[in-house]
Amino acid sequence: MEVEKDVYIKQYSSDEVDDDGRIKRTGNVVTATTHIITVVVGAGVLALAWAIAQLGWLAGILVMIIFSSISIYTYNLIADCYRYPDSVNGKRNYTYMQAVHSYLGGTMHVFCGLVQYGKLAGITVGYTITSSTSMVAIKKLICFHKNGHGAYCKFSNNPYMIGFGVLQILLSQIPNFHKLTLLSTIAAITSFGYALIGSGLSLAVVVSGKGETTHLFGTKVGPELSGEDKIWRILSALGNIALACSYATVVYDIMDTLKSYPSERIQMRKANVLGIITMTILFLLCGCFGYAAFGDHTPGNILTGFGFYEPFWLVAIGNVCIIIHMVGAYQVLAQPLFRIVEMGANMMWPRSDFINNERKHKIGSLTFNVNLFRLIWRTIFVIMATVIAMAMPFFNEFLALLGAFGFWPLIVFFPVQMHISQKQINRFSLKWCVLQLLSFVCFLISVAAAVGATHGISKNITKYKLFRYKQ
């Protein structure tokens, strides 16, 4: 499992490389926090108002704070396992899989890889859905603005998904994660943009006295909502909140950009706290203001679900910010998947020119390298993600399923088990029992959320024809 050399790194002088022979890393707490915010403050933040509407004020806020607190604790455990066996001077684990293999041994890392990279692939599908939803929302805004709010303004998402996919094929040729800092920074800035626009518009509705009635325990069961549907919605809401707290899929890729002094674990612990506190504040603003504005009728996405029609230009800007953020976040999450496949191919066929050769090309003053394997496989991956998104473009349910799929294994189970192994915590000791109880409770939450999300997707699939969904 140990990989000593990245396929893209050539030979450098000793002053230009770190202790593992790779080019010297320059990342710091600020850049790591930026990457975290880019990943966690996704468009899923705009679904949190709907999640709080299902759970109510009491459970909604409490669940969000509990999930965030668990995340800070377990992500710090993950940071401590970047090096093995010593957390400061040990050998680096370049991926989550490597860390699990180092600390837990056996075949546990295979399960970790299936979950991690399966979730990464799923998130790219989710981001394709999200970006197209915002593009269609802009077109609908223009339609409603011209023809009135009662006009028929329904459009297919497919052309916009295809356009987004073409752009991602081009961006996917960026060689590796280290080259994404600028794209990630732009994405992080725009994420604040649409989150603040969504929460600001909701606050304006509340301040103007036009907010809808809300309830301590969420949406009321009645003629419009059966008791059974209420339960399914609560489970799906848990999945939405779980996804919003997740960046475990790229946590080691972020750590692998950090300079060696101070130690990576110290820098990452600070970045975890800063990133998750920022995340939680934004989540509470968007979720609480959105629910206060729309009550039981809170849409699945407060900017694309047409809770707002005016001011027309501000809602449009919010959706543009979502699209820009999705462009950057897609790459931040796809690059680790690209990397592991290409590293594996390099290890299996180290002498293959098709896999390893970089060919220089020049267009005008622009010089760039093209690797045929990278070009072909990344293109195929983006096409497949786009086709799946076109077949199942259901925003809330898909996000909830992804959240449920990754929350327990990646954010709780593996960090807890690695920590027990690293600190050699005795079986059945008080700390061991508390950690295992935490893991078990989170497992039950993940299973419940997955069941709720799957029910929602199956319900929507029977309602809409594949590839013919109109928003």
Side-chain angles (χ1 to χ4, degrees):
M1 285 302 299
E2 186 176 318
V3 182
E4 295 294 343
K5 188 183 293 183
D6 192 290
V7 66
Y8 305 114
I9 299 300
K10 299 179 181 179
Q11 294 297 317
Y12 293 88
S13 68
S14 58
D15 293 335
E16 297 177 303
V17 297
D18 275 326
D19 57 298
D20 59 347
R22 295 191 180 187
I23 190 169
K24 196 171 283 293
R25 297 158 177 85
T26 58
N28 53 41
V29 174
V30 175
T31 60
T33 303
T34 300
H35 285 313
I36 290 171
I37 292 171
T38 300
V39 175
V40 297
V41 189
V45 69
L46 300 174
L48 293 178
W50 179 87
I52 288 185
Q54 312 316 311
L55 295 167
W57 288 114
L58 184 63
I61 294 174
L62 191 62
V63 166
M64 208 171 291
I65 292 173
I66 289 173
F67 274 37
S68 297
S69 300
I70 291 172
S71 296
I72 288 177
Y73 176 69
T74 56
Y75 279 119
N76 285 344
L77 299 185
I78 291 173
D80 290 343
C81 297
Y82 174 63
R83 289 179 180 265
Y84 174 84
D86 182 73
S87 61
V88 177
N89 300 312
K91 288 187 177 181
R92 299 171 188 264
N93 291 305
Y94 300 111
T95 66
Y96 204 144
M97 277 182 70
Q98 280 184 274
V100 171
H101 185 262
S102 296
Y103 282 96
L104 302 182
T107 58
M108 197 71 80
H109 66 285
V110 177
F111 172 54
C112 173
L114 290 173
V115 174
Q116 180 185 2
Y117 295 108
K119 184 180 177 184
L120 282 174
I123 290 175
T124 61
V125 175
Y127 282 179
T128 304
I129 295 170
T130 304
S131 62
S132 69
T133 301
S134 286
M135 292 179 203
V136 171
I138 293 172
K139 189 168 183 178
K140 290 175 74 172
L141 273 170
I142 296 170
C143 176
F144 287 134
H145 191 68
K146 287 182 177 178
N147 305 313
H149 297 172
Y152 179 83
C153 297
K154 285 189 175 290
F155 307 99
S156 172
N157 291 41
N158 291 350
Y160 302 97
M161 289 190 186
I162 292 170
F164 184 80
V166 170
L167 176 60
Q168 291 301 336
I169 287 173
L170 298 174
L171 291 176
S172 291
Q173 302 314 309
I174 296 173
N176 56 59
F177 198 92
H178 300 270
K179 305 294 184 183
L180 292 176
T181 299
L182 177 60
L183 193 61
S184 180
T185 302
I186 294 170
I189 292 169
T190 55
S191 70
F192 278 103
Y194 65 71
L196 292 175
I197 287 172
S199 56
L201 288 171
S202 298
L203 179 61
V205 171
V206 175
V207 170
S208 67
K210 297 178 181 178
E212 299 289 336
T213 303
T214 61
H215 305 95
L216 189 62
F217 299 104
T219 51
K220 288 277 189 180
V221 174
E224 296 180 2
L225 181 68
S226 68
E228 181 184 351
D229 284 340
K230 165 82 172 176
I231 293 172
W232 288 121
R233 286 189 179 188
I234 287 174
L235 297 181
S236 188
L238 291 175
N240 282 136
I241 295 174
L243 177 68
C245 296
S246 179
Y247 58 95
T249 44
V250 295
V251 64
Y252 281 107
D253 296 272
I254 294 172
M255 287 195 73
D256 200 38
T257 67
L258 296 173
K259 58 189 177 183
S260 300
Y261 183 83
S263 70
E264 299 89 355
R265 64 179 288 273
I266 291 175
Q267 296 181 78
M268 194 63 190
R269 277 174 164 265
K270 291 179 181 177
N272 286 334
V273 172
L274 289 172
I276 293 173
I277 288 176
T278 303
M279 166 195 90
T280 306
I281 292 170
L282 279 173
F283 288 178
L284 288 172
L285 285 174
C286 284
C288 294
F289 288 158
Y291 180 42
F294 301 111
D296 287 355
H297 301 290
T298 302
N301 182 319
I302 58 176
L303 282 181
T304 63
F306 287 89
F308 306 106
Y309 292 93
E310 301 294 342
F312 158 78
W313 59 272
L314 188 58
V315 180
I317 289 174
N319 279 290
V320 169
C321 287
I322 292 175
I323 295 164
I324 294 171
H325 180 242
M326 291 300 99
V327 169
Y330 188 107
Q331 286 303 312
V332 170
L333 289 168
Q335 285 289 340
L337 176 60
F338 295 156
R339 179 191 184 197
I340 198 70
V341 171
E342 287 154 20
M343 285 171 62
N346 174 251
M347 292 170 66
M348 291 184 68
W349 299 286
R351 297 181 182 179
S352 169
D353 290 343
F354 171 69
I355 291 172
N356 301 312
N357 273 13
E358 298 276 344
R359 293 174 172 80
K360 283 193 174 183
H361 293 268
K362 190 173 183 179
I363 299 177
S365 59
L366 179 65
T367 302
F368 56 93
N369 294 332
V370 174
N371 174 279
L372 285 179
F373 176 67
R374 182 169 71 229
L375 175 66
I376 293 171
W377 117 256
R378 293 188 182 191
T379 300
I380 291 172
F381 172 83
V382 174
I383 291 172
M384 289 177 63
T386 304
V387 170
I388 294 171
M390 290 166 65
M392 297 190 303
F394 313 122
F395 180 77
N396 284 77
E397 293 81 4
F398 200 86
L399 293 184
L401 182 61
L402 291 173
F405 182 67
F407 178 71
W408 173 71
L410 297 179
I411 300 179
V412 182
F413 175 72
F414 286 122
V416 164
Q417 298 307 317
M418 288 193 293
H419 178 67
I420 289 172
S421 173
Q422 184 186 51
K423 301 300 181 183
Q424 298 182 340
I425 298 171
N426 293 328
R427 185 183 288 265
F428 300 117
S429 65
L430 178 61
K431 186 172 183 180
W432 185 91
C433 290
V434 170
L435 289 171
Q436 298 296 358
L437 178 62
L438 171 66
S439 181
F440 180 68
V441 170
C442 291
F443 170 74
L444 294 180
I445 292 171
S446 284
V447 170
V451 170
T454 303
H455 175 267
I457 290 174
S458 62
K459 191 174 180 181
N460 278 324
I461 286 178
T462 57
K463 191 187 298 184
Y464 302 104
K465 293 182 179 179
L466 291 180
F467 302 104
R468 294 186 182 181
Y469 175 79
K470 287 189 176 183
Q471 180 185 329

